[in-house]
Amino acid sequence: MPSRPERPATLARLSIRWRLAVISAALTFLILTLFAVVIGQLTASRIRSDFRNEMAAAVDALRDRLEIDYEDGRPVIRTGLNTYAAANDAVIRVLDRSGTIIGETRGAPNFGQAGFAVGRSAEVGGFRVESRNTVLVSEFGPRLPVVVQYARRVSDVEATVRRVRLFLLGGVLAGTALALLGGLVLAKRSLAPIARLTATARSISRTRDPDASVPIPDTDDEVAELGRTLDEMLRALTASRADTQEMLDRQRQFVADASHELRTPLTSVLANLELLADVLDGEAGAAARSALRSSQRMKRLVADLLLLARADAQRRVVAHAPTDLGHVLVEAVAEIGALAAEHHLTVEADPVVVLGARDDLHRVALNLLENAVRHTPPGTNVRASVHGRGGRALLTVEDDGPGIPEELREKAFERFVRGAGDRGGSFGLGLSIVRVVGRAHGGDVRLEQPEGGGARFVLDLPLAAVAAPVPA
């Protein structure tokens, strides 16, 4: 594929305002350059033509005005050659037919035999020489045929030509600069409505104000059409957002209500299944115990969904109170003891007080421990700790297992995400609940990758602002 030319790529990096100004200046430069070339050529030709015509007229006038006299038998020019030549900084020579100089101005160079032919023009030594033949008559001597040479420096006329060209070049550059400045000003004024539309759109994006509107210019052009289109799009997006939000609110409310309503019949079913599991033997007892385990998992799923639904609705059901996070971790370790029997579980729990819901924090600690136990092979070391550091409470659960796969690290805290090797039959809500509860308590949870391998989850919560009695 052929590469893109450099010029468009360079222009593409400029703003529209500068692009318009540069293109306008470039077009102006081309037009003025063409104009200057044509005018320069015409003017230079006219200057040179006038120069030649002036010289021809001057030598003809001089030829008619020449007067001669004889002194001691020698011809002498009576006409003031120096005075006549001074007006145009010219040089004059008068020679007879043999080439002998009869009269000349001061500093006149030797043009040799140039111009002996009548009306001949030539350039000699940087001078343009016009020659005329004439016959001078005197009362006291014979008629004398002579050649009149009238010369001016060619550099004078070429200097004038150069000045004209410099003037035209300056005009081109000045016109281009003015076109660039004018293009910038006009582009700024022309793009001002678009700049206002952009600023308004950026403000709406920052504030997310659904009732905001974009300013529509009081014109009937493309910018006004763009403003009307953006305003219509904003209204459509606002309506769509309202519909979506209403649908999500209904879904969250349904999940919360359904989860809440399911708790009572599930509690009754669990009680009955526990009773049947105790009194039945054989296959009936095994079926009752299997149903009991499934019902217990369902009860926990319902509780998880209810917690997430309440978090989505930003409803705090349980009041926060000073809670010893270290004691919460110890209780969670005791509860998970049977599940972690094949792992090496160590605990370091400092008394660290946070302001929170004890049951929710217990759920967080339990979920982190279960996640470490269920996703690591038997014999894996699992370390759990609670420490206070710099006004923060850190609950850490770390293992030296295989770690989190690269493709799952970014979405480990999303709902219903489970690894391919999940041996525990989890619902994929444990880490989501950890994040939801952590943020509801003013903190967050992060996943770290220890140097020796495995996975480390750190729940970071603010310490309680004031010392207060901690419930046992």
Side-chain angles (χ1 to χ4, degrees):
M1 180 180 294
S3 60
R4 295 180 61 188
E6 184 66 23
R7 182 184 177 93
T10 302
L11 285 176
R13 290 193 291 267
L14 299 176
S15 64
I16 294 179
R17 176 188 173 190
W18 273 99
R19 262 184 278 174
L20 291 174
V22 168
I23 292 173
S24 173
L27 291 175
T28 302
F29 176 78
L30 291 176
I31 294 172
L32 291 179
T33 299
L34 180 62
F35 174 80
V37 168
V38 174
I39 296 300
Q41 287 297 110
L42 294 176
T43 304
S45 298
R46 182 60 181 269
I47 291 174
R48 293 189 180 103
S49 176
D50 289 346
F51 177 72
R52 291 191 294 268
N53 293 335
E54 286 178 6
M55 288 189 62
V59 72
D60 289 340
L62 176 62
R63 180 186 57 184
D64 296 337
R65 292 175 58 182
L66 280 178
E67 295 180 356
I68 190 172
D69 201 354
Y70 288 89
E71 293 180 358
D72 299 330
R74 296 177 56 217
V76 177
I77 301 297
R78 295 299 182 186
T79 305
L81 296 181
N82 288 316
T83 303
Y84 189 83
N88 293 315
D89 195 20
V91 292
I92 301 172
R93 301 178 77 204
V94 180
L95 300 86
D96 61 16
R97 291 302 178 91
S98 64
T100 302
I101 299 175
I102 300 174
E104 63 179 353
T105 56
R106 288 185 297 273
N110 182 13
F111 301 125
Q113 299 301 314
F116 274 112
V118 177
R120 180 174 177 180
S121 299
E123 289 191 9
V124 180
F127 286 85
R128 181 173 182 84
V129 183
E130 290 284 344
S131 302
R132 297 290 187 273
N133 287 343
T134 187
V135 177
L136 300 181
V137 179
S138 173
E139 295 180 358
F140 306 101
R143 295 164 57 90
L144 180 64
V146 296
V147 175
V148 181
Q149 294 179 338
Y150 182 90
R152 290 175 62 182
R153 294 182 182 275
V154 178
S155 59
D156 293 342
V157 69
E158 294 302 323
T160 304
V161 171
R162 284 195 298 271
R163 285 194 294 272
V164 170
R165 287 175 174 171
L166 286 175
F167 176 78
L168 291 174
L169 177 61
V172 169
L173 295 179
T176 302
L178 290 175
L180 180 63
L181 294 176
L184 287 173
V185 173
L186 291 177
K188 182 179 180 180
R189 294 189 60 182
S190 299
L191 294 175
I194 297 180
R196 288 193 292 270
L197 291 176
T198 303
T200 303
R202 187 178 291 113
S203 175
I204 293 173
S205 175
R206 184 178 62 255
T207 61
R208 297 187 178 184
D209 183 5
D211 297 326
S213 59
V214 296
I216 300 176
D218 189 17
T219 56
D220 191 17
D221 54 12
E222 292 81 356
V223 177
E225 182 64 23
L226 175 62
R228 286 189 290 269
T229 302
L230 288 176
D231 195 60
E232 292 172 1
M233 181 187 68
L234 183 61
R235 296 288 171 261
L237 289 176
T238 301
S240 176
R241 178 183 178 183
D243 294 341
T244 303
Q245 187 62 41
E246 183 180 356
M247 180 185 67
L248 290 175
D249 291 342
R250 288 198 301 267
Q251 289 180 349
R252 293 190 184 111
Q253 187 63 39
F254 170 76
V255 172
D257 293 343
S259 301
H260 181 74
E261 294 299 327
L262 284 173
R263 296 178 69 182
T264 301
L266 275 176
T267 302
S268 176
V269 168
L270 285 171
N272 292 327
L273 288 175
E274 288 173 355
L275 178 61
L276 290 175
D278 290 338
V279 300
L280 294 178
D281 297 325
E283 294 182 0
R289 286 187 289 275
S290 177
L292 177 60
R293 288 192 297 272
S294 298
S295 298
Q296 288 171 340
R297 292 184 68 239
M298 184 180 296
K299 179 181 179 182
R300 183 166 181 176
L301 174 61
V302 168
D304 290 345
L305 291 175
L306 181 59
L307 189 151
L308 292 173
R310 287 171 175 170
D312 289 340
Q314 298 180 349
R315 292 187 295 175
R316 179 185 293 181
V317 179
V318 181
H320 289 186
T323 304
D324 185 351
L325 191 60
H327 191 266
V328 169
L329 177 62
V330 172
E331 291 179 343
V333 170
E335 184 175 339
I336 203 175
L339 182 62
E342 298 180 352
H343 290 69
H344 303 293
L345 181 59
T346 57
V347 182
E348 295 181 9
D350 296 340
V352 177
V353 179
V354 297
L355 195 64
R358 188 181 188 88
D359 290 342
D360 290 347
L361 294 175
H362 178 84
R363 175 77 64 81
V364 166
L366 190 62
N367 284 356
L368 290 176
L369 291 169
E370 286 184 350
N371 183 74
V373 170
R374 286 178 172 171
H375 295 86
T376 56
T380 301
N381 293 314
V382 177
R383 295 172 292 278
S385 64
V386 171
H387 300 291
R389 185 184 306 160
R392 309 293 295 182
L394 303 179
L395 189 158
T396 305
V397 177
E398 180 180 355
D399 63 71
D400 55 6
I404 306 295
E406 185 70 28
E407 64 273 10
L408 291 181
R409 289 176 190 172
E410 295 296 327
K411 52 183 180 179
F413 296 98
E414 296 180 7
R415 300 175 189 183
F416 302 106
V417 173
R418 294 185 291 180
D422 189 351
R423 301 177 294 105
S426 66
F427 300 109
L429 296 176
L431 294 179
S432 299
I433 290 176
V434 172
R435 169 165 284 181
V436 166
V437 173
R439 291 179 175 177
H441 285 72
D444 206 347
V445 62
R446 60 180 181 271
L447 169 61
E448 299 178 351
Q449 206 73 14
E451 294 182 0
R456 180 191 298 129
F457 291 90
V458 181
L459 178 66
D460 187 344
L461 300 177
L463 292 173
V466 295
V470 180

